[in-house]
Structure formats: structure tokens, C-alpha cells
Amino acid sequence: GEDVEQSLFLSVREGDSSVINCTYTDSSSTYLYWYKQEPGAGLQLLTYIFSNMDMKQDQRLTVLLNKKDKHLSLRIADTQTGDSAIYFCAEGGHTNAGKSTFGDGTTLTVKP
Amino acid sequence: DGGITQSPKYLFRKEGQNVTLSCEQNLNHDAMYWYRQDPGQGLRLIYYSQIVNDFQKGDIAEGYSVSREKKESFPLTVTSAQKNPTAFYLCASSTSQAEAFFGQGTRLTVV
């Protein structure tokens, strides 16, 4: 079945770049998503990339997609303490964004 | 403001009780979803509905039930048949492939 894998933890210093990696198995995924979850809250869509794209940039966020290796990454430039959260990679979009397969999340800790 | 609202934020259930979690959206979205989140894990799909009066089981539907009588509302009932109901429950809605909107979640604890 579909599977999404992420490393569980990442720690960086404020001002550094953060790179969160994800691998997925479903080669037919049309959309790949990055969500952010702050403590005790729901998920907030950060960005998404369509499967025929290699890269998408949105302010401090850069998403890279290697479709051959089924590898997705999220780079956060100039990481701030407010970026500390859990980041979820998800694949799907076959019918609707809500029906996606999620990774277990990467907890990003930003140290001052 | 448009959005998706879950209530209550915290819910306590005694063993053997059924409880219902509320999810309401005013985004005019056709599709709505319920996910369960356990500590250190991703989201697992419980049920989803793509249109009023229709819904489908997700990956972990056992011990749960839903209804979709109105477009705006998709309540989830956690029944006594759910043996390990303590978790964080998230409702979402969507109208496209590009984005899903999530509520703030309900934390259910069995006491």
C-alpha cells in the first residue's frame, strides 16, 4: 500500500536553514504536500507541489521533488523559533486533498 | 470568517460510553474527513464523505460511526466498540486536490 516516511526529529540553530526529507511509495500521486502542526492544534497547509514539477519556491520555503527516487524535501531558509513545530509530508490528490497518506511527522526544534 | 470548527476541544469518556465529536464548516466544501492522530504518529483516516448522505470507511473505521445529513456538518461518534479511543481527532474539509483545511482538533481521553 501507500507509505510515506520521514525522519522524526531535526534540530537547528536560529538563522540556519532547515531541510526536512520525505520518501513516498505511490508513483501515481498527483500532489505532494507539506503541513505544519503547532502543539495542540490542527494541521496547516504550508505548500504543495504538483507531481510534474521539480521545484517550488514560496518565500522562505523551497520544495524539491525527485520523482525518480520518490523523494521530497522542504527547505526553510533563515529558520526562526516560530518555525518550531511538527512538519508532515503527505501524498495524494488523486481525487481530493483531504484523502491523503501522511508521514509520521518531523519535529523541528529551533534553538536560539 | 470561513473555516472549520471542531468541538469540544477536550472530551472525557467513561469506559463503555459513546461520545460524539462535532465538526462544522462554512467553506461550502463537498468533501469532509475524520482523522485520528496518536502521539508520534501521522494521521490515519477514519471516515470520509464526498457528498451529503454518503460516506465511506477509511483505514481504521472499526468502532466509529458518522453521518452526513447536512453539507456543513460531519459528526463522528466514538462507540464503546472502539477499544483504544484515547487520541487526538482531526476533521478536515476540501474542495480540490490542492488544499485541505483542518479544524483545531478534539482531544479525547478515556477515564
Side-chain angles (χ1 to χ4, degrees):
Chain A
E2 299 155 3
D3 195 19
V4 178
E5 302 264 348
Q6 300 177 239
S7 53
L8 291 182
F9 302 99
L10 176 65
S11 180
V12 301
R13 292 257 173 227
E14 192 173 17
D16 288 349
S17 292
S18 307
V19 179
I20 303 172
N21 294 299
C22 168
T23 57
Y24 62 96
T25 58
D26 187 356
S27 58
S28 68
S29 293
T30 51
Y31 281 80
L32 296 133
Y33 310 90
W34 283 105
Y35 287 89
K36 178 183 180 181
Q37 184 181 35
E38 296 186 357
L43 272 66
Q44 173 195 358
L45 181 69
L46 283 177
T47 187
Y48 65 88
I49 188 166
F50 192 54
S51 60
N52 68 354
M53 297 169 65
D54 297 325
M55 185 182 88
K56 181 178 181 182
Q57 187 149 4
D58 184 1
Q59 298 182 331
R60 292 192 296 124
L61 305 178
T62 303
V63 178
L64 294 177
L65 174 60
N66 181 328
K67 197 170 180 182
K68 174 177 168 288
D69 294 338
K70 299 191 187 68
H71 182 267
L72 183 74
S73 68
L74 173 70
R75 179 177 179 268
I76 306 172
D78 187 25
T79 313
Q80 303 297 307
T81 54
D83 294 324
S84 293
I86 304 175
Y87 290 81
F88 289 94
C89 171
E91 64 170 354
H94 303 289
T95 54
N96 199 293
K99 192 170 182 292
S100 298
T101 300
F102 289 80
D104 286 347
T106 299
T107 299
L108 174 64
T109 302
V110 182
K111 298 179 180 177
Chain B
D1 276 22
I4 182 164
T5 303
Q6 291 186 240
S7 62
K9 190 171 174 66
Y10 299 97
L11 188 57
F12 297 90
R13 190 194 94 170
K14 292 182 180 178
E15 297 271 1
Q17 274 185 340
N18 293 356
V19 289
T20 297
L21 284 60
S22 170
C23 178
E24 304 275 333
Q25 53 99 359
N26 59 6
L27 301 165
N28 200 34
H29 288 171
D30 286 315
M32 297 186 73
Y33 307 81
W34 274 106
Y35 284 92
R36 170 180 171 140
Q37 185 181 20
D38 292 286
Q41 295 187 33
L43 279 63
R44 291 183 290 167
L45 184 63
I46 305 172
Y47 267 99
Y48 64 102
S49 167
Q50 293 182 304
I51 198 166
V52 173
N53 291 324
D54 188 41
F55 48 83
Q56 286 80 39
K57 292 182 180 180
D59 301 318
I60 56 164
E62 187 175 348
Y64 300 97
S65 65
V66 293
S67 62
R68 187 84 188 279
E69 296 176 4
K70 298 187 298 182
K71 189 175 187 178
E72 306 79 33
S73 178
F74 190 39
L76 173 74
T77 297
V78 184
T79 75
S80 56
Q82 171 49 240
K83 297 307 176 191
N84 185 21
T86 294
F88 191 53
Y89 291 87
L90 286 161
C91 180
S93 71
S94 180
T95 195
S96 74
Q97 294 173 290
E99 186 168 9
F101 293 82
F102 282 82
Q104 290 298 296
T106 293
R107 187 166 299 281
L108 173 64
T109 304
V110 173
V111 295

